């Protein structure tokens, strides 16, 4: 993605600082070093297996199914989960991890030969991708970071990874490499901050998805599947 230019940034920041009645610091800004940082101690010292157990417990509370497998069994496991959720049509990201995890044959051959329509996100098709996602029964993506505490998957969008794959289909399946599981939001925010600090490109859209869509706006009564996927499943893959 081409970097844009920021015009009149200094003048704008100076005006904001003036209205706040404080000096403007354009350079050498240092983050405060807090004496107490409890956010880092949550699940401190937990192993991957420990964090997985935390994730599974939380998923039970957010109406999300969890399936465990390994790379060798992932194609068979994913096929079973898709069948359990009613089959196709299926829409997925154009993500090299599908090939890395041995899913190419399932996506490009087995399902299509079995009469299941599979659409792989293609940025050259524009709005056609959104239509495919709207009509899909199941959307499938990978998780980039997984938060054990809240049962949240973090998705970094890019040209081949459209946002609508995770919220327009009737059902959503997220493949979670076990190595992506971290304690909580603290670690995800730190990782993103480090990417920015290092001058690396950061996804234009970062989605934090916690199970199927739900709302408790009316008298705190939880309703699941109100404005997105009705059901969600996490397929955790041992990748260590």
């Amino acid at each position: 993605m081409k970097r844009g230019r920021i015009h009149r940034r200094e003048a704008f920041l100076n005006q904001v600082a003036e209205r706040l009645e404080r000096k403007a610091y354009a350079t050498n800004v240092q983050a405060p070093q807090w004496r107490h940082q409890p956010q880092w101690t949550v699940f401190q010292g937990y192993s991957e297996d420990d964090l997985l157990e935390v994730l599974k417990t939380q998923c039970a509370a957010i109406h999300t199914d969890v399936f465990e497998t390994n790379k060798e069994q992932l194609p068979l496991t994913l096929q079973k989960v898709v069948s359990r959720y009613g089959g196709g049509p299926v829409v997925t990201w154009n993500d090299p991890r599908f090939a890395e995890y041995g899913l190419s044959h399932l996506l490009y051959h087995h399902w299509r030969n079995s009469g299941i329509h599979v659409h792989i996100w293609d940025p050259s098709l524009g709005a056609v991708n959104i239509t495919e996602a709207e009509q899909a029964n199941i959307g499938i993506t990978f998780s980039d970071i997984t938060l054990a505490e809240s049962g949240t998957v973090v998705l970094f969008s890019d040209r081949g990874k459209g946002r609508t794959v995770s919220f327009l289909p009737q059902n959503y399946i997220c493949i979670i490499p076990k190595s992506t599981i971290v304690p909580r939001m603290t670690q995800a925010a730190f990782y993103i901050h480090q990417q920015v600090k290092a001058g690396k490109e950061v996804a234009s859209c970062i989605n934090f998805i916690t199970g199927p869509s739900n709302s408790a706006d009316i008298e705190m009564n939880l309703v699941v599947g109100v404005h997105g996927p009705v059901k969600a499943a996490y397929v955790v893959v041992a990748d260590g």
Side-chain angles (χ1 to χ4, degrees), residues 108-119:
Y108 292 97
H109 302 287
H110 181 75
W111 275 341
R112 288 174 174 173
N113 292 338
S114 300
I116 295 177
H117 177 71
V118 178
H119 176 76

Side-chain angles (χ1 to χ4, degrees), residues 59-169:
C59 284
I62 61 172
H63 307 279
T64 301
D65 297 324
V66 178
F67 303 88
E68 296 180 63
T69 188
N70 53 40
K71 281 188 176 181
E72 291 72 24
Q73 294 298 315
L74 177 58
L76 179 59
T77 301
L78 185 59
Q79 183 177 343
K80 289 180 178 179
V81 176
V82 167
S83 296
R84 176 171 175 170
Y85 279 29
V90 171
V91 59
T92 76
W93 277 352
N94 186 0
D95 188 329
R97 285 175 291 187
F98 282 102
E100 292 170 10
Y101 281 74
L103 296 171
S104 295
H105 180 77
L106 184 65
L107 293 179
Y108 292 97
H109 302 287
H110 181 75
W111 275 341
R112 288 174 174 173
N113 292 338
S114 300
I116 295 177
H117 177 71
V118 178
H119 176 76
I120 311 296
W121 190 275
D122 182 350
S124 69
L125 297 179
V128 171
N129 294 292
I130 299 175
T131 300
E132 291 281 354
E134 287 175 336
Q135 297 174 352
N137 180 49
I138 296 175
I140 306 174
T141 74
F142 274 81
S143 175
D144 294 296
I145 306 175
T146 310
L147 316 184
E149 181 182 48
S150 57
T152 301
V153 293
V154 184
L155 312 184
F156 295 158
S157 298
D158 70 16
R159 283 177 55 81
K161 302 173 183 176
R163 295 172 295 171
T164 55
V165 173
S166 61
F167 69 81
L168 283 183

